[in-house]
C-alpha cells in the first residue's frame, strides 16, 4: 500500500466470481480504492467509475493544507477568559501576561492582543488565533469600549477583500474573526448597558456566543434564571447571536439528541480551571473548595464540555461558513457598492468637464448607452441603500435606550 492511497473496507470475495461466502469478518479487509477500481475493471464491470474517491481526495488536500480558526474573547478582567482558553485548547497562551494595578485601570482603554498557536491532532493541523481585548470594561468610562473591537473586525474583512481582489491569491491568509466569545459576569442580573452596546455593534459582523463566566458562584436555580433573562434581553433588543443550524433528517438519533442539548444549554454557563486534581484515582481538571471539588467537565457542574463540543467538535466549520457566506458577503457588498458609486461620480465628472470644454459635443450611440447604464447603476444603488436602511431600522429604534 502506497502512502497517500485512499482505502475501503471490502469483501475479498469480489476477486472470486464463483464464491458463495457471505461477508464474514475473515474476508473483510482494508485495501486501496485504486485496487478496488482495478479489480472491478478487470472483471468487466463498468458500473464503477471511480468518482466515489472524491471525498478522500478533498480530505487529503484539506489535511495537507491545514485549517485556520480565529476566536475573539471579550469581557472585563477577572472573568477567567485566559483560563477558559487554556482549558479549551490544553495550552498556555498567557505565560508572560502582566496584571495591571487599580491605578492603571482608571483611564485604561481597550486594546487588541493576538496570540497564535499551531495545534496538531491525529495528523490534522489547526492554526489557532486568539484575539484578546484587555481593558474592555475596566475603565470608569466604558462608553467607547466597543469601537476598538468593531474596527478590528472591519479591518480583517477589509484586508481579506484586498487580498481576494489582488493578482496573487494562492497564499491568502484568513484572519477574519470566526467567533466571538462574549463573557457575562455572574453577578449581573441580566445584560448590562455595556454588554448590549457591544453586542449590538458586533452582531452583524461576527458570530457571537454568550458565556456566563464563573458559574460555580451561582446555584442551579440562579444559573437558569440568569440564562432566561439574557435570552429575553437579546430578544427585546433584537441582537442576533450565533444560531445553531438545523440537523439534517438523515442524521442519527444520537447526533440529534446532542444538537438539542447544545441548543438548550445556550448561553453557556462555564467553569474553567488549569489545575489537575485527583478524584478517586482519576485525574480531572477542577477547582478545590473547602466544601468539595468542582469538576469542569462534569455536565452537572458546568457547560464547559458542551461549549467545547460546539466550538471545536461539531460547529467550528459552520462558524467559518457563516462568517464567509453571511458576514463577509455583507461587508463585500458594501465595499462594491462604495466602489461603484465612486466610479460613477468620477465618470460623471469627466463627462461634465468634457462637455464644458467643448460646446459642440455630439452624443454617439455609445455615449447614450453609457448614460443609460449609469442611470441603471444609480437606481440599483438607491435600492441597495434602502434595503440597508431597513435592516438597520431595528437597531436605530433602541439607540435612545442603549447609547450612553
Amino acid at each position: 500500500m502506497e502512502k497517500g492511497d485512499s482505502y475501503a473496507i471490502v469483501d475479498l470475495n469480489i476477486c472470486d466470481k464463483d464464491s458463495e461466502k457471505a461477508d464474514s469478518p475473515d474476508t473483510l479487509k482494508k485495501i486501496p480504492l485504486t485496487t478496488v477500481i482495478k479489480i472491478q475493471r478487470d472483471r468487466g464491470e463498468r458500473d464503477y467509475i471511480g468518482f466515489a474517491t472524491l471525498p478522500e481526495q478533498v480530505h487529503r488536500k484539506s489535511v495537507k493544507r491545514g485549517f485556520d480558526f480565529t476566536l475573539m474573547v471579550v469581557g472585563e478582567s477577572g472573568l477567567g477568559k485566559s483560563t477558559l482558553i487554556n482549558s479549551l485548547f490544553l495550552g498556555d497562551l498567557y505565560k508572560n501576561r502582566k496584571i495591571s494595578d487599580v491605578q492603571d485601570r482608571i483611564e485604561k482603554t481597550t486594546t487588541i492582543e493576538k496570540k497564535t498557536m499551531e495545534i496538531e491532532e491525529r495528523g490534522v493541523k489547526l492554526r489557532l488565533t486568539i484575539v484578546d481585548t484587555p481593558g474592555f470594561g475596566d475603565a470608569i468610562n466604558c462608553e467607547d469600549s466597543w469601537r476598538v473591537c468593531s474596527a478590528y473586525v472591519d479591518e480583517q474583512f477589509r484586508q481579506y477583500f484586498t487580498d481576494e481582489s489582488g493578482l496573487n491569491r494562492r497564499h491568502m491568509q484568513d484572519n477574519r474573526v470566526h467567533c466571538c466569545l462574549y463573557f457575562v459576569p455572574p453577578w449581573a442580573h441580566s445584560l448590562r448597558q455595556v454588554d448590549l452596546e457591544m453586542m449590538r455593534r458586533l452582531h452583524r459582523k461576527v458570530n457571537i456566543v454568550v458565556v456566563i463566566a464563573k458559574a460555580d458562584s451561582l446555584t442551579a436555580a440562579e444559573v437558569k434564571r440568569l440564562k432566561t433573562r439574557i435570552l429575553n434581553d437579546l430578544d427585546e433588543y433584537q441582537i442576533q447571536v450565533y444560531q445553531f443550524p438545523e440537523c439534517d433528517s438523515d442524521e442519527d438519533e444520537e447526533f440529534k439528541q446532542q444538537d438539542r442539548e447544545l441548543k438548550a444549554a445556550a448561553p453557556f454557563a462555564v467553569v474553567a480551571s488549569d489545575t489537575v486534581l485527583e478524584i478517586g484515582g482519576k485525574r480531572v481538571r477542577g477547582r478545590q473548595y473547602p466544601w468539595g471539588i468542582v469538576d469542569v467537565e462534569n455536565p452537572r457542574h458546568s457547560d464547559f464540555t458542551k461549549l467545547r463540543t460546539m466550538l471545536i467538535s461539531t460547529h467550528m466549520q459552520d462558524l467559518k461558513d457563516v462568517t464567509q457566506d453571511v458576514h463577509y458577503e455583507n461587508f463585500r457588498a458594501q465595499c462594491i457598492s462604495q466602489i461603484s458609486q465612486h466610479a460613477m461620480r468620477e465618470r460623471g465628472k469627466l463627462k461634465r468637464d468634457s462637455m464644458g470644454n467643448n460646446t459642440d459635443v455630439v452624443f454617439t450611440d455609445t455615449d447614450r448607452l453609457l448614460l443609460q447604464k449609469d442611470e441603471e447603476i444609480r437606481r440599483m444603488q438607491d435600492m441597495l441603500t434602502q434595503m440597508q436602511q431597513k435592516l438597520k431600522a431595528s437597531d436605530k429604534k433602541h439607540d435612545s435606550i442603549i447609547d450612553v
Side-chain angles (χ1 to χ4, degrees):
M1 297 180 184
E2 296 182 2
K3 186 177 180 181
D5 278 345
S6 300
Y7 300 97
I9 305 298
V10 299
D11 185 0
L12 293 181
N13 290 325
I14 62 172
C15 302
D16 186 1
K17 295 182 181 180
D18 300 327
S19 177
E20 298 179 355
K21 294 181 180 179
D23 293 345
S24 64
D26 295 334
T27 60
L28 295 178
K29 214 159 193 180
K30 180 180 178 182
I31 64 175
L33 280 175
T34 52
T35 305
V36 176
I37 297 173
K38 186 176 184 302
I39 293 173
Q40 296 267 357
R41 289 175 177 169
D42 290 344
R43 292 174 54 184
E45 296 183 8
R46 299 298 181 182
D47 56 344
Y48 193 89
I49 302 173
F51 59 82
T53 64
L54 279 174
E56 286 77 14
Q57 297 176 35
V58 175
H59 173 76
R60 289 201 305 272
K61 188 174 182 180
S62 299
V63 170
K64 183 177 180 180
R65 183 171 57 244
F67 300 89
D68 296 314
F69 190 74
T70 301
L71 178 66
M72 174 181 279
V73 289
V74 180
E76 61 188 56
S77 299
L79 292 182
K81 303 187 299 295
S82 305
T83 305
L84 179 64
I85 295 301
N86 290 337
S87 301
L88 283 173
F89 299 99
L90 302 179
D92 190 2
L93 289 172
Y94 302 93
K95 295 179 180 178
N96 302 320
R97 183 183 59 174
K98 294 182 179 179
I99 306 298
S100 57
D101 55 27
V102 177
Q103 188 65 28
D104 294 336
R105 297 185 184 183
I106 296 179
E107 298 181 357
K108 190 172 183 178
T109 58
T110 305
T111 58
I112 296 292
E113 287 185 3
K114 288 177 56 178
K115 295 182 181 295
T116 303
M117 62 185 300
E118 301 283 345
I119 306 175
E120 184 171 350
E121 183 181 57
R122 297 181 182 178
V124 180
K125 297 180 181 179
L126 174 67
R127 180 178 175 271
L128 174 68
T129 302
I130 302 298
V131 181
D132 200 357
T133 56
F136 176 82
D138 292 345
I140 295 178
N141 183 6
C142 302
E143 182 177 343
D144 296 331
S145 295
W146 58 270
R147 295 185 185 277
V148 175
C149 302
S150 180
Y152 178 82
V153 174
D154 288 338
E155 179 60 30
Q156 303 313 306
F157 278 154
R158 190 174 296 107
Q159 183 62 47
Y160 191 86
F161 179 76
T162 302
D163 296 341
E164 189 181 48
S165 305
L167 296 177
N168 185 9
R169 301 188 298 176
R170 288 178 57 87
H171 303 291
M172 287 177 53
Q173 194 167 358
D174 185 6
N175 291 318
R176 296 171 297 179
V177 179
H178 301 118
C179 180
C180 173
L181 290 183
Y182 191 89
F183 286 72
V184 176
W187 50 82
H189 296 290
S190 60
L191 293 178
R192 303 164 300 171
Q193 186 173 353
V194 64
D195 302 326
L196 293 170
E197 182 68 13
M198 180 66 172
M199 286 191 277
R200 193 175 69 85
R201 302 287 182 171
L202 288 182
H203 73 130
R204 297 191 186 278
K205 300 179 180 181
V206 67
N207 300 305
I208 298 177
V209 176
V210 181
V211 174
I212 301 174
K214 296 190 173 182
D216 52 340
S217 62
L218 301 173
T219 64
E222 290 172 337
V223 168
K224 184 177 180 180
R225 187 160 52 247
L226 180 55
K227 285 187 177 184
T228 301
R229 289 175 177 173
I230 290 175
L231 293 176
N232 291 338
D233 286 343
L234 294 174
D235 182 65
E236 179 182 355
Y237 292 100
Q238 299 183 5
I239 296 174
Q240 300 174 5
V241 296
Y242 173 69
Q243 299 295 321
F244 292 88
E246 295 297 329
C247 286
D248 295 333
S249 57
D250 58 348
E251 295 287 354
D252 56 49
E253 188 58 35
E254 182 180 355
F255 184 83
K256 291 180 180 179
Q257 178 62 28
Q258 182 187 59
D259 183 71
R260 286 191 292 266
E261 292 177 357
L262 292 178
K263 291 178 180 178
F268 300 95
V270 301
V271 181
S273 175
D274 289 332
T275 306
V276 178
L277 304 173
E278 187 170 341
I279 305 177
K282 182 181 178 182
R283 296 172 62 83
V284 298
R285 286 177 175 264
R287 306 185 74 88
Q288 179 77 55
Y289 291 101
W291 44 263
I293 296 176
V294 175
D295 182 1
V296 300
E297 296 187 1
N298 189 332
R300 294 181 298 175
H301 298 173
S302 167
D303 292 333
F304 172 82
T305 303
K306 295 176 181 177
L307 175 63
R308 183 177 60 188
T309 299
M310 183 280 296
L311 191 63
I312 302 174
S313 302
T314 59
H315 290 77
M316 178 178 282
Q317 186 57 47
D318 186 69
L319 289 166
K320 297 181 66 174
D321 291 341
V322 174
T323 300
Q324 170 67 32
D325 300 336
V326 179
H327 300 304
Y328 174 68
E329 284 301 318
N330 290 338
F331 177 85
R332 183 173 174 273
Q334 293 177 2
C335 288
I336 294 176
S337 173
Q338 294 173 1
I339 293 173
S340 300
Q341 289 178 356
H342 179 73
M344 188 171 61
R345 287 194 298 266
E346 290 296 324
R347 191 183 301 117
K349 181 180 178 181
L350 291 174
K351 194 70 176 179
R352 288 192 299 271
D353 292 344
S354 62
M355 292 177 63
N357 295 332
N358 187 2
T359 57
D360 297 330
V361 173
V362 179
F363 282 96
T364 64
D365 292 339
T366 303
D367 293 332
R368 295 189 184 93
L369 182 61
L370 287 174
L371 290 175
Q372 291 176 1
K373 293 297 182 183
D374 286 344
E375 183 63 22
E376 290 179 5
I377 293 175
R378 187 188 63 78
R379 287 198 300 268
M380 293 176 64
Q381 298 301 332
D382 291 341
M383 292 174 60
L384 181 60
T385 302
Q386 293 175 5
M387 292 174 62
Q388 292 174 346
Q389 290 175 350
K390 290 180 181 179
L391 290 173
K392 296 179 180 179
S394 59
D395 293 338
K396 293 181 180 179
K397 290 180 182 179
H398 303 286
D399 280 349
S400 59
I401 301 176
I402 300 176
D403 286 341
V404 178

